[in-house]
Each structure stands twice: as C-alpha cells, then as structure tokens.
Amino acid sequence: MNIALVLSGGTGSRLGADIPKQYLEVNKKPIIAYCLETLSKSSDIDGIQIVADTTWQSQIQVWLGAADPEGKFRGFSLPGKTRQLSIYNGLESIRQYASDTDAVLIHDAARPLLSQDLIHRCFIAMQDKVASADAPTIHGVMPVLPMKDTVYCSEDGKHISKLLDRKTIFAGQAPEIFPIGPYWEANVRLLPEEILAINGSTEPAILAGLEMVMIPGDERNFKITTAADLERFREIVNHSEKGV
C-alpha cells in the first residue's frame, strides 16, 4: 500500500495573504486541490492522508468532492509545531491503517504542479532499489534539481568563505518516498528536541543512516512561497487553460 501524506498545515505567512497560501484560489480552484487531484488519479497511490488545522478540515472535505475523484482520502492529522512534527503526526495516523512495510509519499499542498510522471518515477526508483541484489534493506527516494548557478559558502552571511562545487550540490524537492516503519523510527529517534531543528523531510532518514536515492526532479514542481511564486503559478495555469 502506498499512502500520500499531504502537508497542509502551514500558515503561508511569507506570502502575506489573509489565509494560508494552499487555500487561495487560482482559476476558481484552491491550490491544494491541484496536487490532491493528481494524487487521487495516480495508479501508484492507494490512500491520501492530509495534515490540516481543524479550522480548514470541513472546507477541505467539500473540496475533496471534486479534488478526489477516486475517493482515496483516508483522514486528517493535526499540524505540529514544525513541519517535521506535522509529518510525524501524519505518520502516527497512517500507521493505524497501513503496514510499516508500506510506503509513504510526502508532498506539500503548496506544490500544485505535481505530475503523474514524477510520482511514478519515484516509485519506480524505489522498486528498482528493492529489486537490486546489493541494495540496502532500508532506503528512500527524493527528486532533486542540479545547481545552475555558481554556488558559494559564507560563514557570516556577508563575505564569501569558499567556492563550492555545484556538480556535487542538489536542491531537494517533494515528493519524497520512504518505507513507513523505518522512516517513523528515524523520526522517533529525534524526539522530543532534535526533531525541532529538522528542515527537510529527508533529514531524519539521513541522520538515521538510511540509504536515499536521488532522481531527476521537475522544474515546474516548485513550492509557492512568495507572491512571485503565486503569480508564476497563475500564469502557468492560465496558459494551460488557453491551450498555450
């Protein structure tokens, strides 16, 4: 069983909107609905768990009428103090109905341009790793993008300390896929304090020594964080609607 864990507990404060960014409407559809519809229609996904504040849960259920045509929604989990604690809460809910040997796909509601192709490539990479005779038992998959610009390190944020080799540096994206049991255990090891310093979904896996496989990401699969990101998404959707 493959469960998608959709993170929708953020406040979107950096965007400066009156409501969380994932609930803003673009072409008469909330941003969260775009990825939910993609996940619902994916043949690789068996269920969808959503992390969302109780204030928004009833409204999300209304949107699910159109956004979840395959009826894969399994339930809500409450947001945590941080993104990683929200993931932990979601894992706790998922483990009530899924096996520890099943897979969890973690995605942000604010990444609306998730594609069927990227989802499928993530699962194919995970299956290939399992099938390989020399593959480690525990692993995960993360889409990444290569660095296009020259990358520098600054120790004080003001002066350049050293030049980094951009060929060895990658930007991680969602969705990331993990076997539920080992990934849950990796998060438990960080409770209660260390987990508060985690910034990315893959960090607990790396800290636990789990093998992570990188696959090519998708430039369109960006996260809406700023007003410029929102405008970019609007333009993409408008062009798509017009068949451009």
Side-chain angles (χ1 to χ4, degrees):
M1 181 184 291
N2 299 327
I3 305 298
L5 177 60
V6 178
L7 305 178
S8 189
T11 60
S13 57
R14 279 181 286 180
L15 193 65
D18 294 332
I19 64 174
K21 58 195 173 187
Q22 61 270 29
Y23 305 131
L24 294 171
E25 289 195 357
V26 174
N27 277 23
K28 300 180 179 180
K29 187 160 70 172
I31 288 173
I32 187 177
Y34 286 87
C35 75
L36 288 176
E37 185 174 354
T38 300
L39 290 165
S40 181
K41 292 181 178 179
S42 171
S43 60
D44 294 300
I45 299 297
D46 301 300
I48 299 173
Q49 184 80 23
I50 302 175
V51 175
D53 190 270
T54 52
T55 305
W56 287 95
Q57 290 180 8
S58 59
Q59 180 58 64
I60 292 172
Q61 286 187 303
V62 172
W63 290 329
L64 283 168
D68 183 20
E70 301 301 318
K72 295 183 180 180
F73 174 68
R74 297 299 297 263
F76 288 109
S77 301
L78 292 177
K81 182 178 179 180
T82 65
R83 182 178 186 275
Q84 198 61 37
L85 282 173
S86 290
I87 291 174
Y88 175 74
N89 290 347
L91 291 172
E92 287 281 274
S93 299
I94 291 170
R95 293 181 75 243
Q96 299 303 309
Y97 57 82
S99 167
D100 279 352
T101 58
D102 291 333
V104 59
L105 175 148
I106 300 174
H107 192 66
D108 300 298
R111 288 184 187 266
L113 293 174
L114 174 65
S115 69
Q116 297 285 357
D117 175 69
L118 184 56
I119 295 171
H120 189 61
R121 287 194 290 110
C122 283
F123 281 106
I124 288 296
M126 195 162 184
Q127 291 168 7
D128 288 347
K129 198 69 176 175
V130 170
S132 175
D134 60 350
T137 302
I138 302 170
H139 63 277
V141 177
M142 177 176 65
V144 300
L145 295 175
M147 292 292 102
K148 294 181 179 180
D149 298 316
T150 304
V151 185
Y152 299 90
C153 173
S154 173
E155 300 293 342
D156 60 6
K158 297 179 181 179
H159 307 91
I160 294 175
S161 303
K162 59 182 176 179
L163 172 65
L164 303 177
D165 184 357
R166 67 183 180 190
K167 295 192 298 294
T168 66
I169 299 174
F170 299 85
Q173 288 190 314
E176 294 128 305
I177 301 178
F178 308 92
I180 293 172
Y183 185 61
W184 175 78
E185 291 174 0
N187 280 270
V188 170
R189 290 192 189 102
L190 299 175
L191 294 172
E193 297 297 330
E194 291 178 83
I195 198 169
L196 299 176
I198 298 298
N199 294 310
S201 309
T202 296
E203 288 182 35
I206 297 297
L207 291 172
L210 308 190
E211 177 77 9
M212 290 300 300
V213 179
M214 299 191 308
I215 65 169
D218 181 352
E219 293 278 3
R220 285 168 54 95
N221 182 38
F222 61 91
K223 187 175 182 180
I224 297 176
T225 303
T226 66
D229 296 329
L230 180 59
E231 183 57 31
R232 178 185 175 191
F233 176 57
R234 283 200 178 105
E235 290 177 359
I236 290 173
V237 172
N238 289 334
H239 287 174
S240 177
E241 291 288 331
K242 294 175 182 177
V244 177

